[in-house]
């Protein structure tokens, strides 16, 4: 859509087009001409949207900090679910997983060989030596945020500790690969390279995703991809990076009974860390710190 230079910008900033996204559009047009996949305008967040996601992210981080403070051996994942629900609701927000496509709880809790989407339950008790991913997503005033951390319950094996640490580094390596006007494929290339150099595999069946007024938007952020491929990363895009890294191979299966929980096929450990990120003019900002 062509815009007059003096009319209000399509991004909703209220500014004149020529003082807002005119140069941006020129750049996008050129990149598209050169054969790149470029983001749709609806993926470009304005200041108000970014502030909204940031506020949602602040509550989301508060939830994770609250879990970090209370998690211990002997508690159930059902207890974690209640911690998440109570904290979120008491801060005026909504736990995004609750009733999302039929997901029955407020948070995902994935232990040891569970790759992701573990469903909290009062009968699942955290044991000393477990590693557990707590994946928290929040809706606040219509804006989504999404982040997860690993928790080590009591003393865990050296192997488990190393997997948890390397997986955190995989997220960091992925975040460092985010460059304005780079490609989404740069992220998965960096993560894959790092994880495999440490002797681990990278899950391919789940990916990061755009996030904003919806839980899952474009782009799909693969953790296994090639540098210089996929959608252009333009300032104003918001998405998650959430690598799932396996001790053994990458194959997984989904629990047939609940339809959600993914397990490693070989029964070996899996870990995951996640942040919601904003591409800025000059780099990247973490919105879930
Ligand atoms: N936080 C998960 C993600 O990164 C949520 C999966 S959907 C749920 O997309 F219903 F399981 F929460
Ligand atoms: Co996510």
């Amino acid at each position: 859509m062509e815009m007059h230079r003096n009319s209000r910008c399509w991004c909703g900033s209220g500014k004149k087009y020529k003082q807002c996204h005119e140069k941006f559009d020129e750049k996008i047009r050129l990149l598209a001409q050169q054969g790149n996949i470029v983001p749709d305008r609806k993926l470009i967040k304005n200041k108000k949207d970014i502030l909204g996601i940031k506020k949602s992210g602040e509550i989301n981080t508060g939830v994770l900090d609250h879990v970090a403070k209370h998690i211990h051996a002997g508690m159930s994942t059902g207890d974690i679910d209640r911690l998440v629900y109570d904290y979120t609701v008491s801060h005026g927000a909504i736990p995004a997983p609750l009733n999302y496509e039929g997901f029955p709880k407020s948070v995902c809790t994935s232990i040891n060989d569970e790759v992701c989407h573990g469903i909290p339950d009062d009968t699942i008790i955290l044991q000393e030596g477990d590693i557990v991913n707590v994946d928290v997503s929040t809706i606040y005033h219509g804006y989504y945020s999404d982040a997860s951390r690993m928790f080590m319950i009591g003393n865990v094996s050296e192997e488990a500790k190393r997997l948890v640490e390397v997986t955190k580094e995989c997220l960091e390596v992925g975040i460092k690969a985010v460059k304005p006007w780079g490609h989404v494929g740069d992220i998965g290339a960096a993560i894959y390279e790092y994880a495999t150099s440490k002797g681990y595999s990278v899950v391919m069946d789940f990916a990061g995703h755009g996030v904003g007024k919806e839980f899952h938007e474009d782009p799909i952020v693969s953790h296994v991809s090639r540098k210089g491929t996929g959608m252009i990363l333009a300032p104003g895009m918001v998405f998650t990076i959430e690598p799932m890294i396996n001790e053994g191979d990458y194959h997984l299966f989904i629990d047939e009974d609940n339809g959600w929980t993914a397990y490693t096929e070989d029964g070996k450990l899996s870990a995951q860390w996640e942040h919601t990120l904003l591409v800025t003019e000059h780099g990247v900002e973490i919105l879930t710190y």
Side-chain angles (χ1 to χ4, degrees), residues 117 135-137 145-147 207-211 215-216 240-242 272 274-276:
H117 301 166
D135 189 346
V136 177
S137 317
S145 57
D146 191 1
H209 49 91
V211 57
F215 200 168
H216 298 106
T240 72
I241 302 177
E242 47 182 303
Q272 179 179 28
E274 175 180 21
H275 269 311
T276 297

Side-chain angles (χ1 to χ4, degrees), residues 188-201:
I191 291 170
Y192 181 81
E193 159 78 20
Y194 188 75
T196 52
S197 81
K198 298 289 179 181
Y200 295 134
S201 69

